[in-house]
Amino acid sequence: MQDYVSSNGTFSNGVLSNGRRTVAVAGTCLALAALGLNSQAHAASYGTPTISLSATYLSGAVGGVGDPTVQVTVAQSGADASALTVAASKSSKTSVAPTSAVTVTGTAGTRQLAVTAAAQGYTDLTVKVTGLGGKTATKTLHYAASAAVQQPADTRYFTGSSDASAAVDVGGGYVVVADDESNVLRLYDRSASGAPVRTWDFSDDIGVDKEIDIEGAARVGDTIYWTGSLGNNKDGEYKAARNTVFTTKVTGTGADTTLSYGSSYGKLRDDLVAWDKANGNKYGFAAGTADGEIPKEIDGFNVEGLEFAPGSTTTAYLGFRAPLAPAVAGGKALLVPVTNIDKVVANGTAAAFGTPIELDLGGLSVRDIRKNAANQYLIVAGSWAADDNSDPYALYSWTGNAADQPVKLRDLPTTDPGAWEAVVDVPDLTVAGARAQLITDDGAADLYGDGTEAKDLSYPEWQKSRSTWFTVTG
């Protein structure tokens, strides 16, 4: 019905109204309409939020302490970053990590995202930023959780590689870790789980394009000596790169540590074989290095430890995983002193050897050996066998003197994945409650329950080696 206006009011749809009231109502309607248009215009002025992740792959552990985190960077044109909210909006497998297990801290443009694993496995987490005007954007975080382990509070995970094989403390709470599947050296914060803070690869300097199979390391002054296993590969084939010892020079400490290449030597295996032949083939080095011989046999040939003799800067002990001496069950672990290792690596001088040392490690062999400035040694003892992730491991103390036998300090746990491969440094073993940090090689471990060995995982963020602090004195 049409409205009619008279001098007394307006007749609208059969109802007479006061003219001034009608004007007020009409004004209010116009104001509300204008406000609505303004709000729409204001909302339209906000851009679509942006979101980026510092890593799109992340690993954690059930019960893990200090698991790695991801940095989330968000922004929205026309809005202050503090007005944006960030949260996980979806999990592809909630049994591994539901959205409630994702926490985001921070209020500015950079946030930190952490995940608390609920179970072993994989899940894709959708990370969503919500901006002003109700606009959103998402990114996917691919998350992998390994199973719970013993001593979780004392455990950290070094990511980027799963095949840790040797480690050297560089002070300030940092350690350089070698990998027996590549020639990359990685610097880690000993107290934190996560990626290396820097890496080095000296393959070009050494002149190798294959893995050295780094298995042992020792530091004297500002020089670190690194040795390959010197043995055949797992198929019994000779690979020249494995017959390598090289040095790096350390500059700085802690997070500021840098390494530079020193020199290398590629005939130590040959020198050892010749020396053993000259002494009646007592240890069978020639047979153990023959074509087709598997290195990780009781009578094989495989070096896994390197450390200097007490008070020496020129004599270094080579610790053998194989052979045992004699090469029978219950045999002793073998150390062979290289008495001129400084000249060997620096000048290419043929190696000279001292009297070999045979240690009673309860039928186990040397997996690592490390000493402190007081010449107190720790020896990680393990099986010579290749299937040793569940075989016995133990930790021994030793004086470094051939006349003294090592003393067993403790057994090492074997129910969790990984093989104990390295001890970072040696505490004062005269102090009760002293603790040492050990590192595993997890390359053959099925970390995430899908049958994939860690060394074959597609993403370095999912590859990791486990480090654990153990109390070694009563």
Side-chain angles (χ1 to χ4, degrees):
M1 180 180 294
Q2 186 176 0
D3 294 343
Y4 297 94
V5 180
S6 69
S7 59
N8 295 322
T10 302
F11 188 79
S12 176
N13 292 331
V15 178
L16 182 66
S17 63
N18 182 274
R20 283 175 292 183
R21 183 179 300 168
T22 300
V23 171
V25 171
T28 301
C29 292
L30 289 171
L32 289 172
L35 182 61
L37 290 171
N38 186 58
S39 298
Q40 293 173 11
H42 196 183
S45 69
Y46 297 121
T48 300
T50 60
I51 179 171
S52 63
L53 307 178
S54 59
T56 55
Y57 294 86
L58 181 69
S59 67
V62 177
V65 176
D67 274 347
T69 61
V70 167
Q71 182 174 289
V72 183
T73 303
V74 295
Q76 184 182 26
S77 61
D80 190 280
S82 62
L84 311 182
T85 61
V86 179
S89 60
K90 182 181 179 182
S91 171
S92 65
K93 193 168 185 180
T94 57
S95 60
V96 173
T99 57
S100 59
V102 180
T103 58
V104 180
T105 57
T107 57
T110 301
R111 320 284 175 95
Q112 292 296 322
L113 183 149
V115 183
T116 301
Q120 183 187 39
Y122 303 92
T123 186
D124 285 345
L125 297 165
T126 301
V127 184
K128 180 179 180 180
V129 58
T130 303
L132 297 184
K135 297 184 177 182
T136 65
T138 62
K139 286 288 185 181
T140 299
L141 176 64
H142 307 284
Y143 181 73
S146 56
V149 298
Q150 300 179 64
Q151 298 182 227
D154 298 319
T155 297
R156 299 294 183 269
Y157 295 91
F158 298 151
T159 66
S161 164
S162 57
D163 298 272
S165 56
V168 176
D169 179 65
V170 291
Y174 284 75
V175 59
V176 178
V177 179
D179 180 333
D180 61 17
E181 291 289 322
S182 75
N183 301 330
V184 177
L185 305 176
R186 296 173 173 86
L187 179 67
Y188 291 99
D189 181 344
R190 293 175 60 179
S191 65
S193 292
V197 297
R198 63 180 60 180
T199 63
W200 303 267
D201 187 342
F202 298 109
S203 297
D204 290 343
D205 300 280
I206 298 168
V208 297
D209 58 5
K210 302 294 184 182
E211 67 185 54
I212 293 171
D213 190 27
I214 301 169
E215 292 287 359
R219 179 174 181 175
V220 58
D222 63 359
T223 300
I224 302 175
Y225 289 74
W226 307 90
T227 182
S229 66
L230 309 185
N232 293 342
N233 70 8
K234 64 181 180 180
D235 298 318
E237 300 169 335
Y238 174 69
K239 299 295 182 182
R242 293 170 175 252
N243 190 6
T244 300
V245 182
F246 69 98
T247 60
T248 56
K249 181 179 179 181
V250 181
T251 304
T253 61
D256 296 323
T257 297
T258 59
L259 300 181
S260 57
Y261 175 68
S263 54
S264 63
Y265 182 70
K267 296 183 178 180
L268 185 55
R269 161 176 157 146
D270 308 77
D271 294 341
L272 283 162
V273 170
W275 165 79
D276 191 44
K277 282 182 177 180
N279 288 277
N281 289 310
K282 180 177 181 179
Y283 298 112
F285 286 173
T289 57
D291 186 45
E293 290 299 311
I294 306 302
K296 296 174 184 177
E297 298 286 352
I298 199 168
D299 59 351
F301 183 92
N302 196 84
V303 169
E304 292 220 354
L306 181 68
E307 185 53 280
F308 282 85
S312 178
T313 61
T314 60
T315 296
Y317 295 142
L318 291 174
F320 283 77
R321 176 173 177 166
L324 290 182
V328 297
K332 293 184 177 180
L334 176 64
L335 298 179
V336 175
V338 183
T339 59
N340 62 337
I341 197 166
D342 55 331
K343 293 183 176 62
V344 167
V345 183
N347 304 325
T349 304
F353 302 102
T355 303
I357 301 170
E358 298 177 6
L359 301 177
D360 184 358
L361 300 180
L364 301 176
S365 58
V366 175
R367 303 302 294 274
D368 197 22
I369 180 170
R370 181 67 64 243
K371 78 179 184 76
N372 60 20
N375 295 311
Q376 300 170 331
Y377 289 73
L378 285 177
I379 299 173
V380 179
S383 172
W384 48 264
D387 58 345
D388 64 343
N389 280 16
S390 60
D391 288 343
Y393 283 87
L395 196 62
Y396 285 80
S397 64
W398 185 46
T399 64
N401 296 314
D404 299 326
Q405 283 298 313
V407 175
K408 185 176 181 179
L409 298 178
R410 62 172 296 154
D411 292 315
L412 296 172
T414 58
T415 56
D416 298 322
W420 297 107
E421 284 282 315
V423 56
V424 176
D425 60 1
V426 180
D428 185 346
L429 299 179
T430 66
V431 175
R435 284 158 53 91
Q437 187 179 27
L438 276 66
I439 305 176
T440 60
D441 179 341
D442 285 65
D446 175 11
L447 294 178
Y448 305 114
D450 65 341
T452 304
E453 290 190 351
K455 69 177 68 177
D456 295 328
L457 291 165
S458 301
Y459 308 105
E461 296 88 348
W462 287 354
Q463 295 180 338
K464 59 187 180 182
S465 292
R466 176 167 49 98
S467 73
T468 304
W469 293 86
F470 291 100
T471 300
V472 297
T473 58

